[in-house]
Amino acid sequence: MASRSLSPSLTPCLWITVSVVCVCLQLLCGHVACGDAQNAREVILLDSKAQQTDLEWISYPPNGWEEISGLDENYTPIRTYQVCQVMEPNQNNWLRTNWIEKGDAQRIFVELKFTLRDCNSLPGVVGTCKETFNLYYQETDSEVGRSLRENQYVKIDTIAADESFTQGDLGERKMKLNTEERIIGPLSRRGFYLAFQDVGACIALVSVKVYYKKCWSIIENLATFPDTVTGSEFSSLVEVEGVCVSDAEEEADNSPKMHCSAQGEWLVPIGKCICKAGFHQKGDSCEPCGRGFYKSSSQDLQCSRCPAHSFNDLEGSWRCDCEDGYYRAFSDPPSVACTRPPSAPQNLVYNINQTSVSLEWNPPADTGGRNDVTYRVICRRCTWEPEECVPCGPNVGFSPAQSGLVDTFVTMMDLLAHANYTFEVEAVNGVSDLSRTQRLFAAVSIATGQAAPSQVSQVIKEKVQQRSIQLSWQEPQQPNGVITEYEIKYYEKDQKDRVYSTVRSKSTSATVNNLKPSTAYVFQIRAFTEAGYGTYCPRLEITTKEEATGRMAADEQNPVIIIAVVAVAGTIILVFMVFGFIIGRRYALAVKFPGTKTYIDPETYEDPNRAVHQFAKELDASCIKIERVIGAGEFGEVCSGRLKLPGKREVSVAIKTLKVGYTEKQRRDFLCEASIMGQFDHPNVVHLEGVVTRGKPVMIVIEYMENGSLDSFLRKHDGQFTVIQLVGMLRGIAAGMRYLSDMGYVHRDLAARNILVNSNLVCKVSDFGLSRVIDDDPEAVYTTTGGKIPVRWTAPEAIQFRKFTSASDVWSYGIVMWEVMSYGERPYWDMSNQDVIKAIEEGYRLPAPMDCPPGLHQLMLDCWQKDRAERPKFDQIVGILDKMIRNPNTLKTPVGTCTRPISPLLDQSTPDFTTFRSVGEWLEAIKMERYRDNFTAAGYGSLESVTKTPDQRRATVVTAGATKM
Ligand code: AMP
């Protein structure tokens, strides 16, 4: 029908035009290929070319636009519309598309491809031929029927051809296809129509394509961005949130975003997703780590192989599990190797300094694979018998600390004196507390020495003058040894820089001179023993008197005070009187220490070798270095040397050797001493380190006692010690003997020659054995009862009927006391053994040695009671000596009291209290010397006047000691 209205001359021309279109399409296809990305972003709503059936658009008036079929270059039919009413004026030919549903689109692209005939090439059309057409659209929510009302259309543009063609062009086969694109929008209705208004041109509308643009779904940075319709404006960017692909997560504070441009391009990626722990990125997805690999964090890029001593059997692991016995500390990242607790510290050695113990060790051989090894110390205090250990408690100080030690040493302070401790040193690292395997530690067991004294108490200002202050105080509750002096520290209270001065005193009083009048001073006092200084007592503030004060202290002459003083003195004398009595009574009440280990006689063993190995440690001879010979024993030489046991500090030792060519009996007797000594563990009993029985020479290794035997040591240092020091030695021997007697061991040969002295003047009982002890003793002689006996040291019942008991040891102890107080004098001097036995039988006893305090001589006499039940027990002896040490004034020797008598034996009925030469001496002995003037003023000028009461006379007799027994 359209062909009917076309000019015959124009028809072929338009057909040819279609052929040209075919050529053009071919070229266009080439463009599509290179513009794939571009086209891929388009969503086509209408493509006339794609439709092969009739388009059936509305054309009005009917003789206007005409639908014509053609073929493209592939001979595919295409549908086109043509119009060419160029001859008639006032053309108004409309062509309207079918309704186009716009979907999500807001901005619609309309691409027109058309050819347009050049009016100049058409003869006779001037004034009527046009070279443009108009493009319109109408928005509706649905189809509106096939009627066409011009006024409902909105004009989009007038479309002119860039290229028009003439008849002649056809021969040249030049491309005259025009492509024009227009954009409409934003659209708000569901759909629209496009309309083409021809006003008298010769046009072939080859194709109409309507589309909008989209950003197509994409995975970028492990995030998926969905299909996104572009914005309504040319310049708008639509922001789109990405969703992480599976097993990926958003990077912290950096969620993935992209922007969809109006051109359908994704622009400006922001943020990203990353593969979760246990997964790694492969292309646009996250894949699990393989077995034996892990990825601990999403931040890591790659999976890593399991670190040392760890494994995993699953894919997608964020960490690897530790092998058995290996651990990972809470702070360990999964990337580090699994580790284990360290082995025990090595070569633990100790050093005891009174009540402090220092430990030193080497790092463990195996640190467990870590470099955070520290050390901790576990302290336990152990009882001797039964052997039980309890934690040390909070009173023990650790320096620098108890745990978390970085260095390989520690010092424990404030331990109890003479107590057994066990210290375990454990190396720990970051995984020690996770391990359930057995703890590995190095341990030492230690016996502490003497403690420093406790604080002095009851500090009293006795006399305050303008320039001096006299103080007195009580001895510490726990002297823990012999107090040799006190230190009084003082300073002016108001002095800024607090310069201290010190004064020392051997007694429990002191006068501090050269003070300033009317000045406040602060005093502190502490005691000193062999173990060192104790802690200071609390501060005491005293102000000296004013200078101008010249008046006499009236109260000093107050008769009431004098009477009180005399009464106190009388009481003290009375105490002296009762003292001996009470002691006598108390001795009878002695109780054996319960729960003490019992001594086992090695002779009860069928095989003496078994006894040795039960009680003595077998030492490796390579640990012993013999240095020099120091003495001769019955079985061979005694040498000094060094012992270095694994894990212990090298110590000095005495080594008793068994001479070559010994008989089996000699060997047994020699080792018997070790079997006995090995059962003892006390600070005042010489300590056995061990024996060497599996090599030659056979050896007994004993702690080294630097000062050798006590008798020769005292002879060498005649008169050089204070009474307190001597009593300290005696106290040690008594403590050792108390321990032995509590164990049920009877020494039988207690004598100063069998006591050893170390460098700290600590005395230790030594020389143990059975029959051989006495055989070995040069002092032992054969008695009428048979057997060798050291007569001068032995109790009468032991001499007479070999009744050796702890009570006979007490007798010997009394002789040792005498030996000590007389600096190694031979008991009974040059009397014969027979004379000694006789004299003792007759009741005579050794007199007090020179400068011997009466109390001590009294104790000796008590030890020499004929009735052994009346003798004190060692426990009581220790108690009495402790009291004396705590009250050193009771040890003050009245001058001339104990002068060695010309006669070998002393008739002790003579009271020696009267040997005080004056009241002053006597008061000094009883710590009342400050009242000397008061006594004189009160008429007590002579000793007689003071001691004239019968009670006092008795007191002097008892104090002086025994009489003939
Ligand atoms: P003994 O065999 O016990 O009589 O010892 C002989 C001598 O060796 C003694 O008199 C001491 O001088 C000396 N001696 C014995 N044991 C020791 C020791 N542990 N430390 C130092 N010297 C000792």
Side-chain angles (χ1 to χ4, degrees):
M1 67 178 176
S3 56
R4 266 185 280 132
S5 64
L6 282 175
S7 152
S9 60
L10 289 177
T11 308
C13 165
L14 286 171
W15 273 110
I16 291 162
T17 307
V18 172
S19 304
V20 174
V21 169
C22 293
V23 176
C24 293
L25 283 173
Q26 200 173 19
L27 291 170
L28 264 176
C29 288
H31 278 286
V32 168
C34 33
D36 254 351
Q38 183 75 18
N39 289 343
R41 293 192 284 268
E42 297 169 357
V43 182
I44 295 178
L45 299 175
L46 166 67
D47 188 358
S48 63
K49 217 165 46 133
Q51 191 167 331
Q52 280 143 29
T53 56
D54 286 355
L55 291 171
E56 291 186 344
W57 293 353
I58 295 172
S59 171
Y60 180 85
N63 61 347
W65 292 93
E66 191 178 9
E67 185 172 355
I68 294 174
S69 297
L71 295 172
D72 69 4
E73 73 285 359
N74 296 324
Y75 300 98
T76 307
I78 57 168
R79 311 297 297 173
T80 66
Y81 277 91
Q82 295 183 13
V83 65
C84 196
Q85 300 292 355
V86 291
M87 310 297 279
E88 302 289 323
N90 302 324
Q91 290 298 312
N92 187 18
N93 302 309
W94 285 78
L95 175 68
R96 193 201 74 180
T97 63
N98 295 331
W99 190 63
I100 305 166
E101 194 170 350
K102 78 171 176 60
D104 297 332
Q106 298 183 63
R107 251 165 78 86
I108 302 290
F109 293 78
V110 178
E111 184 198 83
L112 303 175
K113 291 187 188 292
F114 62 94
T115 57
L116 192 125
R117 181 78 186 254
D118 181 1
C119 286
N120 290 333
S121 68
L122 295 170
V125 293
V126 177
T128 54
C129 178
K130 299 286 186 305
E131 289 185 347
T132 61
F133 63 95
N134 298 318
L135 179 64
Y136 290 86
Y137 77 103
Q138 179 195 3
E139 268 197 278
T140 62
D141 282 324
S142 58
E143 294 189 48
V144 292
R146 297 187 66 81
S147 62
L148 206 155
R149 289 203 202 117
E150 285 181 36
N151 60 359
Q152 289 175 337
Y153 287 84
V154 178
K155 186 172 175 179
I156 297 168
D157 207 356
T158 297
I159 311 291
D162 293 334
E163 305 264 7
S164 53
F165 67 91
T166 62
Q167 193 81 44
D169 291 336
L170 297 173
E172 296 162 20
R173 304 193 68 83
K174 279 193 184 160
M175 192 177 70
K176 299 292 184 185
L177 187 72
N178 293 284
T179 302
E180 290 292 328
E181 188 172 75
R182 295 295 181 271
I183 298 168
I184 49 175
L187 299 181
S188 53
R189 301 281 181 87
R190 282 185 55 228
F192 62 94
Y193 294 99
L194 282 181
F196 307 90
Q197 182 194 29
D198 166 50
V199 288
C202 193
I203 314 161
L205 199 51
V206 177
S207 84
V208 176
K209 190 167 95 176
V210 179
Y211 63 94
Y212 62 91
K213 290 189 179 175
K214 237 185 182 181
C215 293
W216 291 105
S217 169
I218 187 176
I219 295 177
E220 181 81 23
N221 288 334
L222 293 179
T224 306
F225 296 87
D227 287 353
T228 304
V229 178
T230 56
S232 58
E233 300 298 327
F234 172 71
S235 58
S236 66
L237 289 178
V238 179
E239 186 183 273
V240 182
E241 301 255 348
V243 176
C244 293
V245 299
S246 65
D247 301 316
E249 62 190 26
E250 287 182 7
E251 198 175 57
D253 299 328
N254 205 10
S255 58
K257 283 186 193 131
M258 288 254 266
H259 296 84
C260 179
S261 74
Q263 294 308 313
E265 286 169 320
W266 290 107
L267 300 176
V268 204
I270 296 172
K272 60 176 174 178
C273 294
I274 44 183
C275 288
K276 290 178 180 169
F279 293 83
H280 69 118
Q281 184 173 356
K282 194 155 185 199
D284 280 336
S285 63
C286 293
E287 290 195 350
C289 299
R291 285 181 192 174
F293 286 81
Y294 76 100
K295 201 188 93 170
S296 62
S297 154
S298 53
Q299 303 295 325
D300 298 336
L301 291 178
Q302 296 300 327
C303 299
S304 306
R305 197 175 285 283
C306 287
H309 302 298
S310 70
F311 69 97
N312 72 36
D313 291 335
L314 295 173
E315 292 187 334
S317 299
W318 67 271
R319 61 164 202 169
C320 301
D321 296 324
C322 290
E323 290 168 6
D324 270 359
Y326 286 85
Y327 308 89
R328 202 171 266 132
F330 294 120
S331 56
D332 284 352
S335 57
V336 305
C338 292
T339 51
R340 59 181 173 184
S343 57
Q346 306 181 94
N347 306 330
L348 177 65
V349 292
Y350 63 83
N351 190 17
I352 308 173
N353 186 1
Q354 283 135 14
T355 55
S356 295
V357 172
S358 305
L359 301 177
E360 249 180 75
W361 57 89
N362 287 346
D366 175 14
T367 61
R370 305 183 66 87
N371 54 12
D372 59 353
V373 173
T374 60
Y375 305 94
R376 64 181 169 212
V377 184
I378 290 160
C379 170
R380 288 200 188 87
R381 188 160 62 81
C382 304
T383 52
W384 302 99
E385 188 65 33
E387 245 181 81
E388 272 173 3
C389 298
V390 291
C392 291
N395 294 336
V396 173
F398 293 82
S399 174
Q402 183 171 10
S403 57
L405 291 162
V406 179
D407 294 317
T408 55
F409 53 81
V410 69
T411 301
M412 276 69 60
M413 292 145 307
D414 305 327
L415 300 168
L416 297 180
H418 302 306
N420 253 4
Y421 285 91
T422 295
F423 298 102
E424 292 168 4
V425 182
E426 194 183 356
V428 289
N429 63 17
V431 297
S432 290
D433 290 339
L434 302 172
S435 160
R436 270 186 230 106
T437 53
Q438 214 185 347
R439 287 171 55 229
L440 298 172
F441 54 83
V444 285
S445 291
I446 285 165
T448 52
Q450 198 176 327
S454 61
Q455 284 185 10
V456 304
S457 58
Q458 293 179 35
V459 182
I460 295 168
K461 45 181 177 180
E462 296 287 355
K463 198 169 191 177
V464 180
Q465 303 282 43
Q466 292 154 9
R467 296 182 182 276
S468 70
I469 289 174
Q470 190 185 4
L471 298 169
S472 74
W473 55 89
Q474 292 287 315
E475 299 84 3
Q477 285 277 319
Q478 280 106 33
N480 299 323
V482 179
I483 295 173
T484 49
E485 68 178 14
Y486 293 92
E487 184 191 79
I488 302 98
K489 175 176 91 169
Y490 64 98
Y491 58 88
E492 267 181 58
K493 189 188 166 203
D494 297 327
Q495 202 180 46
K496 263 202 193 122
D497 45 2
R498 294 221 165 147
V499 181
Y500 293 103
S501 301
T502 51
V503 165
R504 290 174 210 286
S505 167
K506 296 239 179 268
S507 69
T508 53
S509 65
T511 303
V512 182
N513 295 310
N514 300 325
L515 302 177
K516 293 182 199 161
S518 305
T519 307
Y521 286 89
V522 174
F523 293 87
Q524 278 185 289
I525 303 170
R526 62 179 177 173
F528 181 79
T529 66
E530 199 179 78
Y533 281 106
T535 45
Y536 281 112
C537 67
R539 290 181 175 79
L540 177 71
E541 189 185 320
I542 307 171
T543 307
T544 46
K545 279 190 178 168
E546 286 174 32
E547 193 150 31
T549 310
R551 72 185 166 85
M552 284 281 290
D555 59 357
E556 287 184 9
Q557 291 181 345
N558 187 338
V560 177
I561 301 278
I562 293 169
I563 289 162
V565 167
V566 172
V568 168
T571 311
I572 290 170
I573 291 163
L574 198 63
V575 168
F576 265 88
M577 276 167 50
V578 177
F579 182 65
F581 175 73
I582 290 177
I583 288 170
R585 287 293 299 264
R586 278 187 55 206
Y587 291 167
L589 295 171
V591 181
K592 191 175 186 286
F593 240 49
T596 311
K597 206 159 79 180
T598 310
Y599 160 74
I600 300 167
D601 184 348
E603 294 240 308
T604 59
Y605 281 72
E606 251 176 47
D607 175 7
N609 278 323
R610 250 198 70 214
V612 177
H613 288 118
Q614 172 150 358
F615 300 122
K617 186 158 71 183
E618 180 72 32
L619 302 175
D620 191 337
S622 65
C623 301
I624 304 161
K625 199 163 74 193
I626 296 179
E627 284 172 344
R628 63 193 172 88
V629 177
I630 53 167
E634 198 205 350
F635 298 97
E637 288 158 342
V638 181
C639 307
S640 65
R642 314 279 297 164
L643 172 70
K644 172 74 186 83
L645 290 177
K648 291 202 169 182
R649 203 183 277 284
E650 192 179 71
V651 288
S652 297
V653 285
I655 304 143
K656 289 188 171 185
T657 56
L658 178 61
K659 59 188 167 225
V660 285
Y662 54 82
T663 64
E664 187 48 37
K665 181 175 181 313
Q666 281 174 322
R667 180 179 189 273
R668 210 175 53 214
D669 288 350
F670 174 72
L671 289 174
C672 182
E673 182 174 19
S675 304
I676 297 171
M677 209 188 298
Q679 297 184 47
F680 305 143
D681 189 2
H682 188 273
N684 294 106
V685 177
V686 80
H687 171 72
L688 176 77
E689 292 288 356
V691 291
V692 178
T693 62
R694 304 210 171 106
K696 280 194 180 154
V698 175
M699 293 185 262
I700 298 177
V701 182
I702 310 164
E703 70 174 309
Y704 186 61
M705 302 293 287
E706 294 82 351
N707 283 315
S709 52
L710 177 61
D711 60 338
S712 51
F713 172 69
L714 288 171
R715 282 195 282 271
K716 212 158 83 193
H717 298 280
D718 195 354
Q720 291 176 10
F721 299 118
T722 62
V723 170
I724 292 268
Q725 283 175 310
L726 297 175
V727 175
M729 294 178 196
L730 288 175
R731 197 256 176 221
I733 301 164
M737 286 308 297
R738 174 178 64 184
Y739 171 79
L740 295 176
S741 67
D742 284 343
M743 278 189 74
Y745 178 77
V746 179
H747 193 288
R748 296 171 173 225
D749 196 12
L750 181 58
R753 64 184 168 280
N754 289 331
I755 303 294
L756 292 170
V757 188
N758 74 8
S759 55
N760 293 325
L761 297 195
V762 176
C763 290
K764 306 199 181 194
V765 182
S766 103
D767 229 48
F768 302 100
L770 297 163
S771 54
R772 77 106 193 145
V773 171
I774 294 167
D775 293 345
D776 162 37
D777 191 337
E779 283 294 342
V781 291
Y782 287 100
T783 61
T784 48
T785 54
K788 274 169 111 182
I789 283 180
V791 170
R792 285 153 213 271
W793 282 265
T794 308
E797 75 275 17
I799 297 173
Q800 281 168 30
F801 23 88
R802 302 189 66 75
K803 184 75 191 159
F804 286 98
T805 58
S806 288
S808 62
D809 277 350
V810 166
W811 179 289
S812 311
Y813 178 79
I815 304 293
V816 173
M817 284 182 76
W818 192 91
E819 290 184 277
V820 169
M821 297 314 293
S822 61
Y823 283 93
E825 180 65 274
R826 180 169 165 75
Y828 311 98
W829 302 276
D830 49 5
M831 284 170 71
S832 72
N833 281 339
Q834 275 317 310
D835 284 349
V836 170
I837 292 170
K838 201 160 154 266
I840 293 296
E841 195 49 41
E842 285 169 10
Y844 285 93
R845 297 292 183 268
L846 281 165
M850 189 164 68
D851 300 336
C852 171
L856 278 179
H857 186 231
Q858 179 58 54
L859 188 53
M860 295 175 205
L861 294 173
D862 289 330
C863 294
W864 300 326
Q865 294 270 12
K866 186 173 173 51
D867 178 357
R868 64 176 188 277
E870 291 291 298
R871 294 172 204 155
K873 304 290 183 286
F874 281 115
D875 185 36
Q876 294 166 316
I877 295 173
V878 172
I880 292 164
L881 294 175
D882 277 346
K883 255 196 207 148
M884 289 180 175
I885 291 165
R886 257 183 259 129
N887 301 285
N889 281 344
T890 61
L891 294 171
K892 281 229 166 95
T893 318
V895 177
T897 318
C898 300
T899 313
R900 207 166 286 165
I902 298 143
S903 140
L905 287 179
L906 178 71
D907 181 349
Q908 304 198 23
S909 60
T910 315
D912 53 5
F913 179 79
T914 50
T915 54
F916 289 119
R917 286 185 304 204
S918 64
V919 174
E921 265 180 29
W922 169 68
L923 283 174
E924 207 174 307
I926 58 169
K927 289 174 33 186
M928 307 280 282
E929 67 268 50
R930 62 186 177 279
Y931 296 113
R932 184 183 308 174
D933 295 345
N934 310 52
F935 271 65
T936 316
Y940 293 96
S942 70
L943 265 175
E944 262 165 54
S945 60
V946 179
T947 59
K948 64 185 171 211
T949 68
D951 279 359
Q952 286 165 336
R953 283 189 194 288
R954 247 190 77 208
T956 59
V957 174
V958 175
T959 310
T963 59
K964 216 171 170 187
M965 297 192 172

